[in-house]
Amino acid sequence: MTRRVLNRSLSLFALCGSLLAMPALAAEPEMVMYQHPECGCCGKWADHMRENGFRVQQVKTLEMVLVKSEAGVPPELGSCHTATIDGYIVEGHVPASDVQRMLEERPAIVGISAPGMPLGSPGMEGPYPAERYDVIGFDARGSAYVFSSH
């Protein structure tokens, strides 16, 4: 083996070793969002999430009541779309920053919800004045609390 080939082999070996020693880059969070086929604001919310680093798979279904029931979304916290991400539920027009916070803090909850369709929330922007609204955290026992206020 020539010296040049040996040096190249050692360089490649060192490069591979250093790449293996590097911490894995965090993958973008992947979200599956269920929505009624005719809902336009759901797509706008999905765009908001994508703009904030999330990968969003949109699933159009006429079975939204079933989706919400199976996910454990309390009826009083319902909205127009339901998303799942990393073991959590995100119901409605929740800002991406709240989803990021939930994923970082990992609270012992089922998920978070922006009940109804608050004007001015992500996907519900428009020419009308924005409403103040709360994002609610909820658990499997039916307990709920204010996760954040906007």
Side-chain angles (χ1 to χ4, degrees), residues 61-124:
T61 178
L62 296 173
E63 302 294 332
M64 288 305 299
V65 172
L66 181 62
V67 167
K68 292 172 189 316
S69 174
E70 288 180 353
V73 177
E76 65 275 12
L77 297 182
S79 185
C80 59
H81 55 267
T82 303
T84 61
I85 184 165
D86 204 16
Y88 287 103
I89 300 299
V90 179
E91 179 69 12
H93 295 270
V94 174
S97 59
D98 288 340
V99 177
Q100 290 163 338
R101 179 180 147 212
M102 177 181 67
L103 294 174
E104 289 170 7
E105 294 178 2
R106 308 289 308 166
I109 58 176
V110 171
I112 53 180
S113 171
M117 298 172 69
L119 298 177
S121 62
M124 291 294 296

Side-chain angles (χ1 to χ4, degrees), residues 29 31 44-56 81 85 90 92-104 112 114 121-123 125 133 135 147-148 150:
M31 176 179 285
K44 291 178 183 178
W45 182 79
D47 290 342
H48 164 76
M49 296 305 290
R50 288 182 185 108
E51 290 165 4
N52 285 279
F54 291 89
R55 288 183 293 146
V56 182
H81 55 267
I85 184 165
V90 179
H93 295 270
V94 174
S97 59
D98 288 340
V99 177
Q100 290 163 338
R101 179 180 147 212
M102 177 181 67
L103 294 174
E104 289 170 7
I112 53 180
S121 62
E125 303 90 353
Y133 67 97
V135 171
F147 184 81
S148 65
H150 301 274

